[in-house]
Amino acid sequence: MGKTRLEAFSDGVIAIIITIMVLELKVPHGEDAHVLLPMIPIFLGYVFSFIMVGIYWNNHHHMLHIVHKINGPVLWANLHLLFWLSLIPVTTAWMQESHFAPQAVALYGFILFMASVAWPILAHFLIKIHGNQSELAIAFGEDRKGKISMLMYLLAIPLAFLNVWIAISLYIAVAVIWFIPDQRIEKNLHHE
């Protein structure tokens, strides 16, 4: 199977995810700047979640750029990743509405953790059909960055009940790690 429809579908789902998040931003009522103050946590939650979804989109794009074919397991693995990403708007909204309550922050971390688990599953099935010597397999390597990210999310979930800002700091640290597109793949690109 060709990868074009998978790319188009994934791009569409991610665009909808971002659209849902932006629709959570409500127009403030009033003319003074102080009406913006209650929106700060909502806006910050949106910005962070936008960045997280953007990181997945960016790396998904890079990953699919160096593969040539897909199959049924890849389609399911991709849907698995998109499922967890599609829950980001709901957990973001709950986190914002609850003013970063521990349960909401922990659930947000669980969703991020599950997306980080879905990512190497997708890579595994793509590598399986392209071979262990493929550009993707070489680029993916041992995926230390992915494993560190999973561990940080896993640690952040219980830490949210002790101190939400420690958990949020771990989420931000993972975003910083992944903010630049995965260089492992860019280094292995041999074609456009």
Side-chain angles (χ1 to χ4, degrees), residues 25 36 38-49 96 100:
L25 299 176
L36 296 175
M39 291 188 63
I40 291 173
I42 294 167
F43 183 71
L44 291 176
Y46 166 74
V47 168
F48 183 73
S49 291
Q96 294 161 334
F100 299 93

Side-chain angles (χ1 to χ4, degrees), residues 73-89:
V74 169
L75 292 174
W76 283 109
N78 193 67
L79 282 172
H80 179 234
L81 173 65
L82 293 176
F83 171 77
W84 293 110
L85 294 179
S86 73
L87 293 173
I88 289 177

Side-chain angles (χ1 to χ4, degrees), residues 1 22 25 44 65 70 76-77 82 87 91-92 99 104 113 134 140 147 158 173 185 188:
M1 281 186 238
V22 79
L25 299 176
L44 291 176
H65 187 75
I70 61 168
W76 283 109
L82 293 176
L87 293 173
T91 54
T92 301
H99 301 283
F113 171 73
S134 66
F140 212 72
K147 291 173 184 169
I185 291 175
N188 285 287

Side-chain angles (χ1 to χ4, degrees), residues 106-182:
L107 181 61
Y108 186 78
F110 176 74
I111 298 304
L112 294 177
F113 171 73
M114 291 306 296
S116 76
V117 168
W119 180 255
I121 292 171
L122 174 59
H124 165 78
F125 284 111
L126 283 166
I127 290 168
K128 191 172 179 180
I129 60 173
H130 288 85
N132 289 329
Q133 299 305 314
S134 66
E135 289 177 301
L136 180 61
I138 293 165
F140 212 72
E142 293 180 24
D143 192 28
R144 286 188 192 116
K145 196 159 102 168
K147 291 173 184 169
I148 290 168
S149 300
M150 278 189 248
L151 179 62
M152 290 173 73
Y153 287 140
L154 200 55
L155 289 172
I157 295 166
L159 285 173
F161 294 100
L162 297 174
N163 185 319
V164 294
W165 299 112
I166 292 173
I168 290 170
S169 296
L170 286 171
Y171 303 155
I172 291 170
V174 173
V176 169
I177 290 170
W178 287 97
F179 190 74
I180 296 173
D182 197 335

